[in-house]
Amino acid sequence: MKYHVSHITTFIYGEPVPLGHNEAHLTPRTFGPQTCLVSQLNIRPVPIAVHHWTDLFGNQVSYFSMEQEHRDLSVSASSVVELNERPVPDPNATMPWEEVRAMCERPTDAAALAAAPFRFESPLVKKSHELGFYARDSFRPGRPILAAALELTERIFREFKYDPAATVINTPTAEVFQQRRGVCQDFAHLEIACLRSLGLPIRYVSGYLMTTPPPGKAKLIGADASHAWVSIFCPGAGWIDLDPTNNQIPQLQHVTLAWGRDYGDVCPVKGVFLGGGSHHTMSVAVDVEPYEQPLVG
């Protein structure tokens, strides 16, 4: 499958902004089952400086500086991505979760060493005994890690309600857990907090979700929008993605943009600016559609 992804973020300020510095994670990753064939970033007004680099997690990052007065800012990313099926092991044949924890506590190979940092707390994800206790209903002694994680994913999907009005970007995971409501970002943070509370490595994944439902069926939650899910470390199989918002193992409908410890590491567009007044607005428009190459000749 090939997809064309368009992601447009627009800022409108109440007063002129003479200076702004911004960072964007808008270039889809290339890894295993996914290849980013082309990606372009268009910024208006034209910035005085643009730099690109690869961050600690292997994501492509763009920095741009605005040093001319402006009342609005448009950041538009256009990408073509090719997806292939992701191999998924038999969940019941994966390693017991306690062995995975022990392996990452004292890593002796490159894969476990790379996974180990994702065991720890991050700015937006805190460990807790309460969340660890909640996770242990699925992570019973000796249980294969993927089988346990799939059950936890299903429980979050079943027990928590998707409600865009319930949370904001910095709503604590503990609050999401208590009110049993949130959005895809919240459910990803919740599952991460549960597994990290057990000492297991798990990372946050940002991207997009594309779906064409059959006649009479509803679209998956988060379709044609920025989306978030998680990825757990399964020794011997690598990282396996799980989508708690839709109770799925991502395959040909999920386009991966970036991954990190939590949302703060992979925010699509963030920055600081001077001026702008006390009121400003931000809007985001995302379009994901099958890509058809134009005919030649």
Side-chain angles (χ1 to χ4, degrees), residues 133-191:
F133 184 78
Y134 177 77
R136 281 187 180 275
D137 279 353
S138 298
F139 284 78
R140 297 181 288 277
R143 195 164 190 208
I145 186 169
L146 185 53
L150 284 169
E151 181 179 300
L152 178 62
T153 300
E154 190 275 334
R155 288 171 55 208
I156 293 173
F157 171 76
R158 176 167 41 85
E159 298 175 11
F160 290 75
K161 180 178 176 58
Y162 186 90
D163 183 357
T167 59
V168 294
I169 288 177
N170 59 352
T171 298
T173 303
E175 184 176 326
V176 174
F177 182 68
Q178 291 300 323
Q179 66 182 11
R180 293 294 202 271
R181 292 173 178 269
V183 295
C184 56
Q185 172 190 304
D186 300 308
F187 303 151
H189 281 162
L190 175 64
E191 187 156 8

Side-chain angles (χ1 to χ4, degrees), residues 1-6 78-81 208-212 219 224-225 252-253 255 286-292:
M1 292 292 298
K2 290 183 181 178
Y3 293 108
H4 175 256
V5 180
S6 172
S78 178
S79 306
V80 177
V81 179
Y208 308 102
L209 178 63
M210 165 69 183
T211 182
T212 303
K219 294 190 79 172
D224 288 355
L252 297 179
Q253 295 173 308
V255 176
V286 175
D287 185 35
V288 183
E289 58 185 0
Y291 176 75
E292 297 182 5

